[in-house]
Amino acid sequence: MPDQPPLLDRLAIRHPIIQAPMAGGATTPALVAAVSEAGGLGMLGAGLMAPAAIAQAIAEIRRLTSRPFGVNLFVPEVKPAERDGPAIDAMIAVLAPWYAELRTEAPPRPVPPPPDFEAQAEVILAARVDVFSFTFGVPDAVLLRAFRDGGAVVIGTATTVAEGLILTEAGVDAVVAQGSEAGGHRGTFAGPFEPALVGTMALVPQMAAVLELPVIAAGGIMDGRGIAAARVLGAAAVQLGTAFLATMESGIHPMYKQELLNATDDATAVTRAFTGRPARGIRNPLMATIEQAGTPIPDYPVQAALTAPIRRAATRWGRTDAMALWAGQGAGRARALPAAALMEALVKEAADATPTAIGRSA
Ligand SMILES: Cc1cc2nc3c(=O)[nH]c(=O)nc-3n(C[C@H](O)[C@H](O)[C@H](O)COP(=O)(O)O)c2cc1C
């Protein structure tokens, strides 16, 4: 990267702190704008949003801040999952008591597809956002070039060094190294997910040693000490999801926030139960029902569509037993603060933490 300015300059942010994009309503325009205003990089998780809603959210963020921010999408599966058939009947039978309990119904058949990726990307491209990031794969070269030609910094997500190299080859500007502690979906795209469950502590230095691109550490970072540690390990910046989920501006249900604050270090699991894609969340009864049924779980995004009515109703009724409580292993260290106050604390803690790296403290 000899002719590239450092990542922070390219992103035009003061602190090397990225608020993770979190699809599903957590990353409200208020949260994104507050983080960017505080000198970090706010990110809109737009993976599940219709194109028009993305345009509206971008406009709202711009009303709230003139600082840089980014937008994130889910790269679609190469081979789309079957949206009808006996496997879906079987899963609907497993979920039937939950549809009844939450006073909702199974989705129509074939199950509705997710928002169209091309149309989502077009809106983001047209809006000329500062940063475009993605997970679950690699978008095609033409699209990536269009973003870069439009002046966006392009960031991909990798869970192994091999995936980091694939992203480098594809022409991204930086790579998120997503450790196994991370909350939400695994970004794994180049092989089975189990061996790609590499912890942040092990992943970041290996990624930094091999990649000729800035590495952004993600997974289990909850405070300034984690930021300092990641930087010492070779990360150019950090991306925090769970820590920002608990902030005042985050769009999740208050009972979900409470679950984060109460979580113990062993409260989460990586599961395909909610969406058909491995993701880390706090264990709850809906997760247990699906996992223990012994019925094959349809692939993403079909399983996501089958559980969506239950999860939506659960959010309406404040029922954490039937929500997808995405959270990283550090959830118990989350703080219910305004995002600006969290940013301030993170920056101060990171500055305070670094001297202890040479062993002065107990
Ligand atoms: C609720 C939630 C939703 C997430 N949604 C996305 C997403 O839409 N796109 C994405 O690239 N990463 C997503 N992630 C993963 C984050 O980018 C990041 O890897 C993770 O939050 C880092 O681990 P931490 O939660 O321990 O900080 C999500 C994480 C959470 C907790």
Side-chain angles (χ1 to χ4, degrees):
M1 243 196 347
D3 54 349
Q4 292 276 359
L7 184 64
L8 288 200
D9 293 350
R10 290 210 60 205
L11 295 174
I13 55 176
R14 221 169 37 246
H15 307 300
I17 301 172
I18 301 173
Q19 161 254 305
M22 294 182 276
T27 51
T28 58
L31 175 58
V32 175
V35 173
S36 290
E37 278 292 301
L41 184 74
M43 293 285 305
L44 176 72
L48 302 172
M49 294 167 75
I54 298 175
Q56 211 177 344
I58 291 172
E60 176 65 8
I61 296 165
R62 288 200 164 131
R63 208 179 54 74
L64 298 171
T65 185
S66 54
R67 306 243 187 196
F69 65 92
V71 182
N72 171 275
L73 289 181
F74 294 155
V75 179
E77 312 298 300
V78 181
K79 186 173 154 282
E82 291 290 336
R83 293 195 286 117
D84 213 344
I88 292 172
D89 294 332
M91 183 48 64
I92 287 176
V94 169
L95 296 173
W98 286 95
Y99 294 129
E101 164 90 15
L102 274 294
R103 285 178 267 162
T104 184
E105 284 176 1
R109 312 278 291 274
V111 301
D116 180 62
F117 176 77
E118 308 292 329
Q120 289 175 315
E122 215 166 283
V123 164
I124 300 166
L125 201 50
R128 298 182 77 91
V129 297
D130 308 277
V131 177
F132 171 62
S133 84
F134 57 86
T135 185
F136 298 175
V138 191
D140 73 59
V142 175
L143 183 70
L144 288 188
R145 185 142 352 96
F147 272 108
R148 294 187 78 188
D149 289 350
V153 172
V154 173
I155 303 176
T157 307
T159 58
T160 60
V161 173
E163 289 178 345
L165 289 169
I166 293 171
L167 292 170
T168 305
E169 187 67 23
V172 302
D173 297 295
V175 174
V176 171
Q178 188 191 42
S180 58
E181 300 93 323
H185 283 101
R186 305 292 305 143
T188 305
F189 64 89
F193 81 92
E194 293 93 340
L197 286 166
V198 184
T200 307
M201 187 96 181
L203 182 62
V204 169
Q206 295 189 78
M207 200 91 100
V210 174
L211 265 50
E212 291 182 10
L213 287 176
V215 170
I216 299 162
I221 303 173
M222 302 300 295
D223 57 27
R225 295 171 304 177
I227 295 171
R231 297 271 282 153
V232 169
L233 292 172
V238 292
Q239 178 162 299
L240 282 64
T242 305
F244 283 104
L245 259 189
T247 59
M248 302 299 174
E249 292 87 346
S250 142
I252 64 170
H253 194 282
M255 308 257 305
Y256 177 178
K257 284 186 194 173
Q258 201 51 51
E259 294 278 341
L260 296 173
L261 301 175
N262 295 343
T264 50
D265 53 355
D266 59 354
T268 68
V270 174
T271 181
R272 289 181 63 249
F274 293 114
T275 68
R277 230 188 185 285
R280 185 178 291 284
I282 297 172
R283 283 192 295 268
N284 68 356
L286 179 59
M287 190 195 290
T289 299
I290 298 167
E291 288 197 333
Q292 288 161 17
T295 304
I297 297 171
D299 284 335
Y300 183 89
V302 170
Q303 179 70 358
L306 297 181
T307 63
I310 299 168
R311 294 182 285 125
R312 260 198 306 272
T315 300
R316 209 161 44 238
W317 309 119
R319 291 266 309 258
T320 55
D321 59 336
M323 295 178 194
L325 301 168
W326 304 135
Q329 288 178 317
R333 300 289 299 171
R335 291 169 274 189
L337 291 173
L342 177 61
M343 278 294 296
E344 199 182 320
L346 294 172
V347 169
K348 182 174 183 317
E349 291 160 0
D352 290 349
T354 317
T356 65
I358 51 167
R360 271 198 298 107
S361 79

